[in-house]
PDB file of all heavy atoms in Angstrom:
ATOM      1  N   ILE A1335     106.015  90.885  50.507  1.00 57.00           N
ATOM      2  CA  ILE A1335     105.463  90.565  51.826  1.00 57.00           C
ATOM      3  C   ILE A1335     106.320  91.186  52.918  1.00 57.00           C
ATOM      4  O   ILE A1335     107.521  90.980  52.973  1.00 57.00           O
ATOM      5  CB  ILE A1335     105.373  89.031  52.022  1.00 57.00           C
ATOM      6  CG1 ILE A1335     104.356  88.455  51.039  1.00 57.00           C
ATOM      7  CG2 ILE A1335     104.984  88.694  53.437  1.00 57.00           C
ATOM      8  CD1 ILE A1335     104.244  86.950  51.083  1.00 57.00           C
ATOM      9  N   GLU A1336     105.684  91.960  53.770  1.00 65.00           N
ATOM     10  CA  GLU A1336     106.383  92.681  54.825  1.00 65.00           C
ATOM     11  C   GLU A1336     106.353  91.928  56.137  1.00 65.00           C
ATOM     12  O   GLU A1336     107.364  91.734  56.798  1.00 65.00           O
ATOM     13  CB  GLU A1336     105.746  94.045  54.989  1.00 65.00           C
ATOM     14  CG  GLU A1336     106.424  94.953  55.995  1.00 65.00           C
ATOM     15  CD  GLU A1336     105.702  96.289  56.070  1.00 65.00           C
ATOM     16  OE1 GLU A1336     104.604  96.326  56.626  1.00 65.00           O
ATOM     17  OE2 GLU A1336     106.240  97.282  55.549  1.00 65.00           O
ATOM     18  N   LEU A1337     105.151  91.464  56.492  1.00 71.00           N
ATOM     19  CA  LEU A1337     104.992  90.812  57.790  1.00 71.00           C
ATOM     20  C   LEU A1337     104.267  89.477  57.701  1.00 71.00           C
ATOM     21  O   LEU A1337     104.016  88.844  58.717  1.00 71.00           O
ATOM     22  CB  LEU A1337     104.221  91.730  58.749  1.00 71.00           C
ATOM     23  CG  LEU A1337     104.963  92.992  59.193  1.00 71.00           C
ATOM     24  CD1 LEU A1337     104.041  93.896  59.971  1.00 71.00           C
ATOM     25  CD2 LEU A1337     106.199  92.655  60.007  1.00 71.00           C
ATOM     26  N   GLY A1338     103.914  89.028  56.514  1.00 71.00           N
ATOM     27  CA  GLY A1338     103.228  87.751  56.397  1.00 71.00           C
ATOM     28  C   GLY A1338     101.859  87.771  57.034  1.00 71.00           C
ATOM     29  O   GLY A1338     101.219  88.815  57.189  1.00 71.00           O
ATOM     30  N   HIS A1339     101.351  86.584  57.419  1.00 82.00           N
ATOM     31  CA  HIS A1339     100.081  86.488  58.138  1.00 82.00           C
ATOM     32  C   HIS A1339     100.338  86.786  59.606  1.00 82.00           C
ATOM     33  O   HIS A1339     101.156  86.110  60.241  1.00 82.00           O
ATOM     34  CB  HIS A1339      99.492  85.076  58.015  1.00 82.00           C
ATOM     35  CG  HIS A1339      98.763  84.844  56.728  1.00 82.00           C
ATOM     36  ND1 HIS A1339      99.419  84.563  55.548  1.00 82.00           N
ATOM     37  CD2 HIS A1339      97.434  84.851  56.445  1.00 82.00           C
ATOM     38  CE1 HIS A1339      98.512  84.393  54.585  1.00 82.00           C
ATOM     39  NE2 HIS A1339      97.327  84.562  55.085  1.00 82.00           N
ATOM     40  N   CYS A1340      99.644  87.776  60.148  1.00 87.00           N
ATOM     41  CA  CYS A1340      99.851  88.186  61.545  1.00 87.00           C
ATOM     42  C   CYS A1340      98.530  88.132  62.312  1.00 87.00           C
ATOM     43  O   CYS A1340      97.458  88.293  61.723  1.00 87.00           O
ATOM     44  CB  CYS A1340     100.412  89.607  61.613  1.00 87.00           C
ATOM     45  SG  CYS A1340     101.960  89.830  60.705  1.00 87.00           S
ATOM     46  N   VAL A1341      98.637  87.924  63.609  1.00 91.00           N
ATOM     47  CA  VAL A1341      97.450  87.939  64.473  1.00 91.00           C
ATOM     48  C   VAL A1341      97.173  89.369  64.917  1.00 91.00           C
ATOM     49  O   VAL A1341      98.079  90.072  65.385  1.00 91.00           O
ATOM     50  CB  VAL A1341      97.647  87.031  65.703  1.00 91.00           C
ATOM     51  CG1 VAL A1341      96.461  87.146  66.656  1.00 91.00           C
ATOM     52  CG2 VAL A1341      97.837  85.580  65.272  1.00 91.00           C
ATOM     53  N   HIS A1342      95.934  89.797  64.722  1.00 90.00           N
ATOM     54  CA  HIS A1342      95.480  91.122  65.162  1.00 90.00           C
ATOM     55  C   HIS A1342      94.274  90.978  66.080  1.00 90.00           C
ATOM     56  O   HIS A1342      93.572  89.964  66.025  1.00 90.00           O
ATOM     57  CB  HIS A1342      95.065  91.995  63.953  1.00 90.00           C
ATOM     58  CG  HIS A1342      96.186  92.424  63.080  1.00 90.00           C
ATOM     59  ND1 HIS A1342      96.945  91.534  62.339  1.00 90.00           N
ATOM     60  CD2 HIS A1342      96.688  93.665  62.809  1.00 90.00           C
ATOM     61  CE1 HIS A1342      97.849  92.207  61.657  1.00 90.00           C
ATOM     62  NE2 HIS A1342      97.708  93.503  61.906  1.00 90.00           N
ATOM     63  N   ILE A1343      94.018  91.963  66.892  1.00 93.00           N
ATOM     64  CA  ILE A1343      92.737  92.071  67.611  1.00 93.00           C
ATOM     65  C   ILE A1343      92.046  93.351  67.159  1.00 93.00           C
ATOM     66  O   ILE A1343      92.697  94.351  66.838  1.00 93.00           O
ATOM     67  CB  ILE A1343      92.912  92.053  69.149  1.00 93.00           C
ATOM     68  CG1 ILE A1343      93.848  93.167  69.620  1.00 93.00           C
ATOM     69  CG2 ILE A1343      93.431  90.694  69.606  1.00 93.00           C
ATOM     70  CD1 ILE A1343      93.936  93.256  71.133  1.00 93.00           C
ATOM     71  N   VAL A1344      90.722  93.264  67.098  1.00 91.00           N
ATOM     72  CA  VAL A1344      89.913  94.372  66.610  1.00 91.00           C
ATOM     73  C   VAL A1344      88.775  94.610  67.593  1.00 91.00           C
ATOM     74  O   VAL A1344      88.132  93.651  68.042  1.00 91.00           O
ATOM     75  CB  VAL A1344      89.329  94.072  65.212  1.00 91.00           C
ATOM     76  CG1 VAL A1344      88.588  95.273  64.661  1.00 91.00           C
ATOM     77  CG2 VAL A1344      90.428  93.638  64.253  1.00 91.00           C
ATOM     78  N   PRO A1345      88.474  95.855  67.953  1.00 91.00           N
ATOM     79  CA  PRO A1345      87.321  96.107  68.833  1.00 91.00           C
ATOM     80  C   PRO A1345      86.023  95.583  68.207  1.00 91.00           C
ATOM     81  O   PRO A1345      85.813  95.742  67.004  1.00 91.00           O
ATOM     82  CB  PRO A1345      87.291  97.640  68.945  1.00 91.00           C
ATOM     83  CG  PRO A1345      88.692  98.083  68.640  1.00 91.00           C
ATOM     84  CD  PRO A1345      89.202  97.096  67.626  1.00 91.00           C
ATOM     85  N   ALA A1346      85.193  94.930  69.017  1.00 91.00           N
ATOM     86  CA  ALA A1346      83.931  94.388  68.503  1.00 91.00           C
ATOM     87  C   ALA A1346      83.025  95.493  67.979  1.00 91.00           C
ATOM     88  O   ALA A1346      82.195  95.256  67.100  1.00 91.00           O
ATOM     89  CB  ALA A1346      83.216  93.600  69.598  1.00 91.00           C
ATOM     90  N   SER A1347      83.190  96.688  68.467  1.00 93.00           N
ATOM     91  CA  SER A1347      82.364  97.826  68.035  1.00 93.00           C
ATOM     92  C   SER A1347      82.933  98.487  66.784  1.00 93.00           C
ATOM     93  O   SER A1347      82.342  99.428  66.259  1.00 93.00           O
ATOM     94  CB  SER A1347      82.275  98.856  69.160  1.00 93.00           C
ATOM     95  OG  SER A1347      83.568  99.294  69.540  1.00 93.00           O
ATOM     96  N   GLY A1348      84.100  97.996  66.324  1.00 89.00           N
ATOM     97  CA  GLY A1348      84.742  98.575  65.150  1.00 89.00           C
ATOM     98  C   GLY A1348      85.945  99.416  65.532  1.00 89.00           C
ATOM     99  O   GLY A1348      86.094  99.832  66.676  1.00 89.00           O
ATOM    100  N   GLY A1349      86.800  99.632  64.579  1.00 90.00           N
ATOM    101  CA  GLY A1349      87.989 100.426  64.838  1.00 90.00           C
ATOM    102  C   GLY A1349      89.208  99.816  64.204  1.00 90.00           C
ATOM    103  O   GLY A1349      89.127  98.840  63.461  1.00 90.00           O
ATOM    104  N   GLU A1350      90.349 100.397  64.465  1.00 89.00           N
ATOM    105  CA  GLU A1350      91.600  99.950  63.864  1.00 89.00           C
ATOM    106  C   GLU A1350      92.104  98.666  64.542  1.00 89.00           C
ATOM    107  O   GLU A1350      92.067  98.558  65.769  1.00 89.00           O
ATOM    108  CB  GLU A1350      92.665 101.030  63.987  1.00 89.00           C
ATOM    109  CG  GLU A1350      92.426 102.219  63.090  1.00 89.00           C
ATOM    110  CD  GLU A1350      92.502 101.843  61.617  1.00 89.00           C
ATOM    111  OE1 GLU A1350      93.419 101.073  61.249  1.00 89.00           O
ATOM    112  OE2 GLU A1350      91.646 102.307  60.848  1.00 89.00           O
ATOM    113  N   PRO A1351      92.574  97.684  63.752  1.00 88.00           N
ATOM    114  CA  PRO A1351      93.158  96.492  64.348  1.00 88.00           C
ATOM    115  C   PRO A1351      94.502  96.797  64.991  1.00 88.00           C
ATOM    116  O   PRO A1351      95.218  97.708  64.571  1.00 88.00           O
ATOM    117  CB  PRO A1351      93.309  95.545  63.158  1.00 88.00           C
ATOM    118  CG  PRO A1351      93.408  96.424  61.982  1.00 88.00           C
ATOM    119  CD  PRO A1351      92.549  97.625  62.283  1.00 88.00           C
ATOM    120  N   ARG A1352      94.825  96.035  66.023  1.00 91.00           N
ATOM    121  CA  ARG A1352      96.130  96.130  66.671  1.00 91.00           C
ATOM    122  C   ARG A1352      96.876  94.830  66.463  1.00 91.00           C
ATOM    123  O   ARG A1352      96.374  93.767  66.801  1.00 91.00           O
ATOM    124  CB  ARG A1352      95.972  96.439  68.165  1.00 91.00           C
ATOM    125  CG  ARG A1352      97.310  96.529  68.909  1.00 91.00           C
ATOM    126  CD  ARG A1352      97.145  97.193  70.270  1.00 91.00           C
ATOM    127  NE  ARG A1352      96.331  96.427  71.169  1.00 91.00           N
ATOM    128  CZ  ARG A1352      96.809  95.464  71.993  1.00 91.00           C
ATOM    129  NH1 ARG A1352      98.091  95.157  71.974  1.00 91.00           N
ATOM    130  NH2 ARG A1352      96.003  94.827  72.812  1.00 91.00           N
ATOM    131  N   ARG A1353      98.089  94.909  65.918  1.00 89.00           N
ATOM    132  CA  ARG A1353      98.863  93.722  65.590  1.00 89.00           C
ATOM    133  C   ARG A1353      99.561  93.162  66.823  1.00 89.00           C
ATOM    134  O   ARG A1353     100.176  93.895  67.589  1.00 89.00           O
ATOM    135  CB  ARG A1353      99.884  94.061  64.501  1.00 89.00           C
ATOM    136  CG  ARG A1353     100.724  92.882  64.051  1.00 89.00           C
ATOM    137  CD  ARG A1353     101.536  93.223  62.821  1.00 89.00           C
ATOM    138  NE  ARG A1353     102.440  94.337  63.039  1.00 89.00           N
ATOM    139  CZ  ARG A1353     103.638  94.224  63.607  1.00 89.00           C
ATOM    140  NH1 ARG A1353     104.063  93.035  64.008  1.00 89.00           N
ATOM    141  NH2 ARG A1353     104.391  95.290  63.761  1.00 89.00           N
ATOM    142  N   LEU A1354      99.478  91.826  66.992  1.00 93.00           N
ATOM    143  CA  LEU A1354     100.118  91.159  68.120  1.00 93.00           C
ATOM    144  C   LEU A1354     101.350  90.360  67.708  1.00 93.00           C
ATOM    145  O   LEU A1354     102.213  90.103  68.546  1.00 93.00           O
ATOM    146  CB  LEU A1354      99.130  90.212  68.813  1.00 93.00           C
ATOM    147  CG  LEU A1354      97.891  90.847  69.450  1.00 93.00           C
ATOM    148  CD1 LEU A1354      97.042  89.769  70.135  1.00 93.00           C
ATOM    149  CD2 LEU A1354      98.288  91.925  70.459  1.00 93.00           C
ATOM    150  N   THR A1355     101.429  89.921  66.449  1.00 91.00           N
ATOM    151  CA  THR A1355     102.570  89.145  66.000  1.00 91.00           C
ATOM    152  C   THR A1355     103.153  89.766  64.738  1.00 91.00           C
ATOM    153  O   THR A1355     102.489  90.550  64.054  1.00 91.00           O
ATOM    154  CB  THR A1355     102.188  87.682  65.702  1.00 91.00           C
ATOM    155  OG1 THR A1355     101.247  87.638  64.618  1.00 91.00           O
ATOM    156  CG2 THR A1355     101.589  87.010  66.925  1.00 91.00           C
ATOM    157  N   GLY A1356     104.394  89.430  64.439  1.00 85.00           N
ATOM    158  CA  GLY A1356     105.056  89.959  63.249  1.00 85.00           C
ATOM    159  C   GLY A1356     105.943  88.902  62.618  1.00 85.00           C
ATOM    160  O   GLY A1356     105.962  87.758  63.038  1.00 85.00           O
ATOM    161  N   GLY A1357     106.685  89.312  61.600  1.00 81.00           N
ATOM    162  CA  GLY A1357     107.545  88.368  60.897  1.00 81.00           C
ATOM    163  C   GLY A1357     106.864  87.834  59.652  1.00 81.00           C
ATOM    164  O   GLY A1357     105.677  88.080  59.416  1.00 81.00           O
ATOM    165  N   VAL A1358     107.594  87.069  58.857  1.00 78.00           N
ATOM    166  CA  VAL A1358     107.051  86.545  57.606  1.00 78.00           C
ATOM    167  C   VAL A1358     106.459  85.157  57.801  1.00 78.00           C
ATOM    168  O   VAL A1358     106.269  84.408  56.842  1.00 78.00           O
ATOM    169  CB  VAL A1358     108.150  86.499  56.514  1.00 78.00           C
ATOM    170  CG1 VAL A1358     108.589  87.897  56.142  1.00 78.00           C
ATOM    171  CG2 VAL A1358     109.334  85.644  56.976  1.00 78.00           C
ATOM    172  N   ASP A1359     106.159  84.796  59.038  1.00 84.00           N
ATOM    173  CA  ASP A1359     105.558  83.494  59.327  1.00 84.00           C
ATOM    174  C   ASP A1359     104.058  83.520  59.013  1.00 84.00           C
ATOM    175  O   ASP A1359     103.471  84.571  58.773  1.00 84.00           O
ATOM    176  CB  ASP A1359     105.767  83.138  60.805  1.00 84.00           C
ATOM    177  CG  ASP A1359     107.232  83.204  61.184  1.00 84.00           C
ATOM    178  OD1 ASP A1359     107.972  82.312  60.754  1.00 84.00           O
ATOM    179  OD2 ASP A1359     107.616  84.144  61.899  1.00 84.00           O
ATOM    180  N   ARG A1360     103.472  82.336  59.059  1.00 88.00           N
ATOM    181  CA  ARG A1360     102.042  82.206  58.815  1.00 88.00           C
ATOM    182  C   ARG A1360     101.352  81.921  60.141  1.00 88.00           C
ATOM    183  O   ARG A1360     101.375  80.797  60.655  1.00 88.00           O
ATOM    184  CB  ARG A1360     101.766  81.085  57.811  1.00 88.00           C
ATOM    185  CG  ARG A1360     100.296  80.868  57.494  1.00 88.00           C
ATOM    186  CD  ARG A1360     100.131  79.770  56.460  1.00 88.00           C
ATOM    187  NE  ARG A1360      98.726  79.406  56.289  1.00 88.00           N
ATOM    188  CZ  ARG A1360      97.874  80.031  55.500  1.00 88.00           C
ATOM    189  NH1 ARG A1360      98.287  81.063  54.804  1.00 88.00           N
ATOM    190  NH2 ARG A1360      96.625  79.626  55.385  1.00 88.00           N
ATOM    191  N   ASP A1361     100.748  82.943  60.736  1.00 92.00           N
ATOM    192  CA  ASP A1361      99.995  82.817  61.991  1.00 92.00           C
ATOM    193  C   ASP A1361      98.509  82.776  61.646  1.00 92.00           C
ATOM    194  O   ASP A1361      98.017  83.638  60.903  1.00 92.00           O
ATOM    195  CB  ASP A1361     100.262  84.008  62.914  1.00 92.00           C
ATOM    196  CG  ASP A1361     101.740  84.180  63.225  1.00 92.00           C
ATOM    197  OD1 ASP A1361     102.465  83.165  63.228  1.00 92.00           O
ATOM    198  OD2 ASP A1361     102.162  85.331  63.478  1.00 92.00           O
ATOM    199  N   HIS A1362      97.764  81.806  62.190  1.00 91.00           N
ATOM    200  CA  HIS A1362      96.358  81.687  61.810  1.00 91.00           C
ATOM    201  C   HIS A1362      95.567  80.947  62.882  1.00 91.00           C
ATOM    202  O   HIS A1362      96.112  80.482  63.862  1.00 91.00           O
ATOM    203  CB  HIS A1362      96.207  80.993  60.460  1.00 91.00           C
ATOM    204  CG  HIS A1362      96.971  79.708  60.342  1.00 91.00           C
ATOM    205  ND1 HIS A1362      98.337  79.660  60.230  1.00 91.00           N
ATOM    206  CD2 HIS A1362      96.560  78.423  60.313  1.00 91.00           C
ATOM    207  CE1 HIS A1362      98.732  78.408  60.129  1.00 91.00           C
ATOM    208  NE2 HIS A1362      97.700  77.638  60.196  1.00 91.00           N
ATOM    209  N   THR A1363      94.263  80.835  62.681  1.00 95.00           N
ATOM    210  CA  THR A1363      93.274  80.202  63.564  1.00 95.00           C
ATOM    211  C   THR A1363      93.458  80.618  65.019  1.00 95.00           C
ATOM    212  O   THR A1363      93.641  79.787  65.899  1.00 95.00           O
ATOM    213  CB  THR A1363      93.291  78.659  63.428  1.00 95.00           C
ATOM    214  OG1 THR A1363      94.575  78.140  63.823  1.00 95.00           O
ATOM    215  CG2 THR A1363      92.981  78.233  61.999  1.00 95.00           C
ATOM    216  N   PRO A1364      93.374  81.921  65.321  1.00 95.00           N
ATOM    217  CA  PRO A1364      93.544  82.375  66.696  1.00 95.00           C
ATOM    218  C   PRO A1364      92.293  82.143  67.545  1.00 95.00           C
ATOM    219  O   PRO A1364      91.174  82.084  67.027  1.00 95.00           O
ATOM    220  CB  PRO A1364      93.804  83.880  66.536  1.00 95.00           C
ATOM    221  CG  PRO A1364      93.078  84.236  65.278  1.00 95.00           C
ATOM    222  CD  PRO A1364      93.186  83.040  64.379  1.00 95.00           C
ATOM    223  N   THR A1365      92.494  81.992  68.854  1.00 95.00           N
ATOM    224  CA  THR A1365      91.386  81.862  69.795  1.00 95.00           C
ATOM    225  C   THR A1365      91.799  82.483  71.121  1.00 95.00           C
ATOM    226  O   THR A1365      92.992  82.539  71.457  1.00 95.00           O
ATOM    227  CB  THR A1365      90.980  80.380  69.994  1.00 95.00           C
ATOM    228  OG1 THR A1365      89.774  80.303  70.740  1.00 95.00           O
ATOM    229  CG2 THR A1365      92.070  79.609  70.731  1.00 95.00           C
ATOM    230  N   TRP A1366      90.820  82.941  71.890  1.00 95.00           N
ATOM    231  CA  TRP A1366      91.091  83.611  73.170  1.00 95.00           C
ATOM    232  C   TRP A1366      91.341  82.608  74.284  1.00 95.00           C
ATOM    233  O   TRP A1366      90.736  81.544  74.329  1.00 95.00           O
ATOM    234  CB  TRP A1366      89.902  84.487  73.572  1.00 95.00           C
ATOM    235  CG  TRP A1366      89.698  85.704  72.729  1.00 95.00           C
ATOM    236  CD1 TRP A1366      88.910  85.803  71.613  1.00 95.00           C
ATOM    237  CD2 TRP A1366      90.265  86.994  72.933  1.00 95.00           C
ATOM    238  NE1 TRP A1366      88.979  87.077  71.109  1.00 95.00           N
ATOM    239  CE2 TRP A1366      89.794  87.830  71.894  1.00 95.00           C
ATOM    240  CE3 TRP A1366      91.136  87.525  73.886  1.00 95.00           C
ATOM    241  CZ2 TRP A1366      90.149  89.170  71.790  1.00 95.00           C
ATOM    242  CZ3 TRP A1366      91.496  88.868  73.792  1.00 95.00           C
ATOM    243  CH2 TRP A1366      91.014  89.670  72.755  1.00 95.00           C
ATOM    244  N   SER A1367      92.232  82.980  75.213  1.00 94.00           N
ATOM    245  CA  SER A1367      92.330  82.245  76.467  1.00 94.00           C
ATOM    246  C   SER A1367      91.092  82.559  77.315  1.00 94.00           C
ATOM    247  O   SER A1367      90.383  83.540  77.064  1.00 94.00           O
ATOM    248  CB  SER A1367      93.606  82.647  77.228  1.00 94.00           C
ATOM    249  OG  SER A1367      93.545  84.017  77.590  1.00 94.00           O
ATOM    250  N   GLN A1368      90.834  81.721  78.310  1.00 91.00           N
ATOM    251  CA  GLN A1368      89.628  81.911  79.123  1.00 91.00           C
ATOM    252  C   GLN A1368      89.653  83.214  79.922  1.00 91.00           C
ATOM    253  O   GLN A1368      88.608  83.807  80.174  1.00 91.00           O
ATOM    254  CB  GLN A1368      89.432  80.720  80.064  1.00 91.00           C
ATOM    255  CG  GLN A1368      89.064  79.436  79.338  1.00 91.00           C
ATOM    256  CD  GLN A1368      87.818  79.588  78.500  1.00 91.00           C
ATOM    257  OE1 GLN A1368      86.790  80.053  78.973  1.00 91.00           O
ATOM    258  NE2 GLN A1368      87.892  79.193  77.234  1.00 91.00           N
ATOM    259  N   ASP A1369      90.833  83.666  80.326  1.00 93.00           N
ATOM    260  CA  ASP A1369      90.909  84.915  81.082  1.00 93.00           C
ATOM    261  C   ASP A1369      91.025  86.138  80.187  1.00 93.00           C
ATOM    262  O   ASP A1369      91.079  87.278  80.688  1.00 93.00           O
ATOM    263  CB  ASP A1369      92.088  84.872  82.065  1.00 93.00           C
ATOM    264  CG  ASP A1369      93.444  84.679  81.353  1.00 93.00           C
ATOM    265  OD1 ASP A1369      93.491  84.750  80.112  1.00 93.00           O
ATOM    266  OD2 ASP A1369      94.448  84.468  82.070  1.00 93.00           O
ATOM    267  N   GLY A1370      91.059  85.940  78.868  1.00 94.00           N
ATOM    268  CA  GLY A1370      91.125  87.056  77.936  1.00 94.00           C
ATOM    269  C   GLY A1370      92.458  87.774  77.900  1.00 94.00           C
ATOM    270  O   GLY A1370      92.575  88.834  77.271  1.00 94.00           O
ATOM    271  N   GLN A1371      93.495  87.177  78.507  1.00 96.00           N
ATOM    272  CA  GLN A1371      94.790  87.846  78.585  1.00 96.00           C
ATOM    273  C   GLN A1371      95.759  87.435  77.493  1.00 96.00           C
ATOM    274  O   GLN A1371      96.811  88.052  77.327  1.00 96.00           O
ATOM    275  CB  GLN A1371      95.423  87.565  79.956  1.00 96.00           C
ATOM    276  CG  GLN A1371      94.604  88.071  81.136  1.00 96.00           C
ATOM    277  CD  GLN A1371      94.340  89.558  81.053  1.00 96.00           C
ATOM    278  OE1 GLN A1371      95.274  90.352  80.950  1.00 96.00           O
ATOM    279  NE2 GLN A1371      93.080  89.940  81.105  1.00 96.00           N
ATOM    280  N   SER A1372      95.418  86.387  76.741  1.00 96.00           N
ATOM    281  CA  SER A1372      96.320  85.921  75.695  1.00 96.00           C
ATOM    282  C   SER A1372      95.540  85.306  74.546  1.00 96.00           C
ATOM    283  O   SER A1372      94.355  85.001  74.672  1.00 96.00           O
ATOM    284  CB  SER A1372      97.335  84.913  76.259  1.00 96.00           C
ATOM    285  OG  SER A1372      96.667  83.780  76.774  1.00 96.00           O
ATOM    286  N   ILE A1373      96.232  85.114  73.427  1.00 97.00           N
ATOM    287  CA  ILE A1373      95.655  84.507  72.227  1.00 97.00           C
ATOM    288  C   ILE A1373      96.464  83.267  71.891  1.00 97.00           C
ATOM    289  O   ILE A1373      97.699  83.307  71.822  1.00 97.00           O
ATOM    290  CB  ILE A1373      95.703  85.481  71.033  1.00 97.00           C
ATOM    291  CG1 ILE A1373      94.926  86.762  71.331  1.00 97.00           C
ATOM    292  CG2 ILE A1373      95.170  84.796  69.770  1.00 97.00           C
ATOM    293  CD1 ILE A1373      93.449  86.591  71.443  1.00 97.00           C
TER     294      ILE A1373
END
């Protein structure tokens, strides 16, 4: 395991995911803030 479970965002139209978190932690059940500026 290199980075564990990480939060990514992916374009709705498709494309490569972009990683937002790292480490060997378990990050899960993400949701958007109302202004779309954070997860």
Side-chain angles (χ1 to χ4, degrees):
I1335 294 176
E1336 184 180 73
L1337 292 172
H1339 279 79
C1340 303
V1341 175
H1342 291 65
I1343 57 175
V1344 185
S1347 58
E1350 288 296 317
R1352 179 165 65 88
R1353 182 170 59 83
L1354 297 182
T1355 63
V1358 294
D1359 306 288
R1360 180 178 171 84
D1361 303 331
H1362 50 287
T1363 62
T1365 189
W1366 290 91
S1367 64
Q1368 291 303 309
D1369 60 9
Q1371 299 303 304
S1372 61
I1373 301 292

